[in-house]
Amino acid sequence: VTITPEAAGKEGSSMNLRARERKTVRELLYGLLLVSGNDAATALAEAVSGSESKFADLMNQKAQEIGMRNTQFINASGLPIQGHYSTAYDLAVLTRYALKNGNFAKVVSTKVKEVSGTSYRNGRRLINHNKLLWRDQYVTGVKTGYTQAAGGCLVSSASRDGKVLISVVLKTSYIYDDTHQLFDYGFEKENNRSNIVSNGMNKGVHG
């Protein structure tokens, strides 16, 4: 992908792309999902559809296909704009769908990634913004987010004892603590449910 001036100049968080440099799609995905690169989001959208607005149309089509009923995308980055919205439930639906893609699952679980350099820089070391990947061995992703309008946001996945949970917290100053508590609650409920089923089966076997 050849980076356009529009993509390189995108406001907000970035992977520090430069106009006219070339990056692979995979490198841009790491820049998008590890460091919230709005420049990477724009570059990928332009590469797929020719423009960010046309790519947003594809995003909305996919959202409807997978059951996101209260979502409308206007841009590829999530930067605030009139008419761009979603819900915690819809983001969980999207995450469940996306994690079925092995490439996506691998990227969002990556803590650190080195990507190639350019004539402008010797290289880039991308460090995942999701601190839960370092704090909790069960966490497998997924994505942080922040704007002044949305506040602190975190979509997370965790796997423990063969069970996978997805957590979505929005507009909070305690994205990691809130998520950790939700996972503790969720896995405790799952364990209790498994114990009830197991005990019921044992009682059935023993009459």
Side-chain angles (χ1 to χ4, degrees):
V1 175
T2 300
I3 308 304
T4 66
E6 290 75 17
K10 198 70 173 182
E11 64 180 297
S13 56
S14 75
M15 63 178 295
N16 297 314
L17 294 173
R18 298 292 186 266
R20 295 181 299 280
E21 72 170 300
R22 290 178 60 81
K23 283 282 170 280
T24 67
V25 168
R26 189 174 297 274
E27 287 175 323
L28 292 174
L29 287 172
Y30 276 105
L32 170 68
L33 293 168
L34 268 63
V35 299
S36 300
N38 296 331
D39 50 357
T42 303
L44 287 165
E46 291 173 342
V48 171
S49 300
S51 71
E52 192 169 4
S53 62
K54 289 181 180 179
F55 186 75
D57 290 338
L58 292 181
M59 294 170 70
N60 289 320
Q61 291 175 24
K62 179 59 72 173
Q64 289 300 306
E65 288 175 10
I66 66 176
M68 299 171 67
R69 300 294 180 239
N70 295 288
T71 294
Q72 179 171 276
F73 296 115
I74 304 298
N75 58 43
S77 63
L79 287 171
I81 187 172
Q82 186 67 32
H84 186 112
Y85 59 84
S86 190
T87 65
Y89 178 82
D90 276 8
L91 292 174
V93 170
L94 175 60
T95 302
R96 181 176 59 187
Y97 176 84
L99 285 173
K100 295 176 182 177
N101 183 300
N103 289 321
F104 177 86
K106 178 181 178 180
V107 173
V108 297
S109 66
T110 300
K111 295 179 180 179
V112 180
K113 180 68 175 179
E114 301 281 350
V115 300
S116 63
T118 69
S119 58
Y120 299 96
R121 300 170 67 92
N122 292 325
R124 296 179 178 85
R125 191 168 191 258
L126 306 176
I127 301 175
N128 200 316
H129 287 180
N130 185 0
K131 296 178 181 178
L132 279 186
L133 290 171
W134 279 268
R135 296 182 183 180
D136 191 331
Q137 62 178 323
Y138 301 108
V139 171
T140 56
V142 171
K143 186 72 186 67
T144 60
Y146 176 83
T147 65
Q148 190 170 2
C153 304
L154 177 61
V155 178
S156 294
S157 61
S159 178
R160 186 187 301 176
D161 299 326
K163 296 180 175 63
V164 177
L165 296 183
I166 293 171
S167 163
V168 181
V169 296
L170 307 175
K171 207 173 182 65
T172 173
S173 299
Y174 308 99
I175 58 174
Y176 300 115
D177 290 341
D178 290 349
T179 298
H180 188 80
Q181 290 181 40
L182 284 171
F183 279 144
D184 281 348
Y185 174 82
F187 282 119
E188 181 181 356
K189 286 291 185 180
E190 286 295 322
N191 287 335
N192 289 340
R193 184 182 306 168
S194 296
N195 289 335
I196 290 172
V197 172
S198 176
N199 289 336
M201 291 176 64
N202 289 334
K203 287 179 181 179
V205 168
H206 297 291

